[in-house]
């Protein structure tokens, strides 16, 4: 499926706005390169999350490590890079859990969620403007903490992990 | 938390783009009024989904019934209105399942997901530009069909429902 016409309405650093004509209808859409998120389980059977200020939400959120695809980057390579940068975790066994549109009514952002197990610990290498706190939650505690989650990708990833583990 | 400065960068019908300065950092954000989605279970224990063309995804997607908050509208009233419009279902028992940011790295969209059970059937009243097909899936079949889902809110809602039902 392709639109009949499309034009760039606003150009940003992370995303653009495009206006597309599909037959009789005009659609305003946010165009984004796509993203990844990682459900990482450490050697002590804890899931490794990040807590950071999210200006969009105007609060701190507890989330899966995540990031945006660089031009031409494969989703798995991106996920491995982002996990290492944000948490220091590297290596391990990787598997895709899901690939989802985050808000398909108006946002062209496809997010791929991976699971990583058996990674080695290392030093995070976060960028200057990312103040990230690592939060490790034992898998057995997760069912009781689902109500704390306020981020959709984190809910999906952790619900899929719990389902896999029969928790 | 509030930004030090904010300005409107692009104004659309469904969403705007704002640029905010938070201390040293400038953030480009999509500003949206917020949305709802509904996990509706019919009298025959089937979950009621909608299949529609999503221009953002350039394909058809299978999703929870969902919609955007009108100015001043409460999330529950919005969810009941949207479910009736898209599926004809009305009445029943309602409960909030989750309230989540859809993509908090760059989108200010909070989505509230409700569960509705025991609703009565009626006639949908979809808008002209919405060609919506209703898809009813028996709860017992859902676990085997999770892999078909490509929409994040739908994954969250159905995973929460399955968890509640012990499926």
């Amino acid at each position: 499926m392709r639109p009949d016409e499309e034009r760039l309405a606003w150009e940003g650093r992370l995303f653009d706005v495009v206006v597309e004509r599909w037959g009789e209808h005009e659609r305003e859409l946010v165009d984004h390169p796509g993203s990844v998120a990682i459900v990482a389980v450490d050697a002590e059977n804890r899931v490794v999350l990040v807590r950071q200020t999210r200006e969009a939400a105007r609060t701190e959120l507890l989330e899966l490590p995540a990031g945006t695809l660089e031009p031409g980057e494969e989703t798995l390579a991106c996920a491995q890079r982002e996990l290492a940068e944000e948490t220091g975790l590297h290596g391990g066994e990787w598997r895709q859990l899901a690939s989802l549109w985050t808000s398909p009514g108006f946002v062209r952002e496809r997010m791929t969620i991976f699971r990583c197990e058996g990674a080695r610990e290392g030093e995070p290498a976060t960028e200057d403007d990312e103040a990230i706190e690592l939060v490790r939650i034992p898998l057995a505690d997760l069912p009781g903490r689902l109500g704390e989650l306020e981020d959709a990708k984190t809910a999906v990833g952790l619900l899929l992990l719990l389902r896999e583990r029969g928790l």
Side-chain angles (χ1 to χ4, degrees), chain A residues 1-165:
Chain A
M1 285 185 192
R2 302 288 301 180
D4 298 302
E5 288 173 27
E6 54 185 315
R7 65 180 175 84
L8 182 65
W10 185 82
E11 188 169 7
R13 285 171 296 191
L14 178 62
F15 63 86
D16 300 325
V17 177
V18 295
V19 178
E20 298 181 350
R21 190 175 61 75
W22 293 73
E24 300 289 295
H25 311 301
E26 200 176 72
R27 291 278 183 262
E28 298 171 348
L29 301 169
V30 178
D31 197 16
H32 182 277
S35 51
V36 298
I38 307 101
V39 179
V41 180
D42 72 10
E44 293 168 56
N45 232 18
R46 299 174 300 185
V47 66
V48 183
L49 302 178
V50 295
R51 195 192 305 275
Q52 60 190 317
T53 295
R54 285 302 206 175
E55 290 83 0
R58 296 193 172 174
T59 189
E60 286 196 337
L61 293 179
L62 185 64
E63 295 174 66
L64 299 180
T68 301
L69 288 169
E70 303 281 0
E73 192 176 34
E74 297 290 332
T75 53
L76 176 59
C78 179
Q80 294 176 332
R81 175 177 61 72
E82 291 285 353
L83 185 68
E85 285 177 7
E86 295 193 356
T87 71
L89 289 164
H90 56 281
E93 287 181 26
W94 290 72
R95 192 165 66 73
Q96 184 175 316
L97 283 180
S99 179
L100 302 166
W101 298 96
T102 56
S103 190
F106 66 106
V107 181
R108 182 169 290 145
E109 180 196 15
R110 180 103 180 184
M111 173 173 281
T112 307
I113 304 178
F114 291 92
R115 191 202 61 187
C116 169
E117 293 185 288
R120 294 183 298 281
E121 301 287 335
E123 281 303 308
T126 49
E127 292 162 33
D128 272 349
D129 70 345
E130 293 182 281
I132 290 180
E133 176 199 355
L134 295 190
V135 177
R136 297 178 189 241
I137 301 179
L139 285 192
D141 295 349
L142 267 189
R145 297 189 63 174
L146 291 174
E148 286 176 41
L149 301 178
E150 296 186 276
D151 170 55
K153 67 179 171 295
T154 307
V156 175
L158 296 184
L159 286 165
L160 287 172
L161 178 69
L162 289 174
R163 204 171 164 80
E164 279 192 351
R165 298 298 185 97

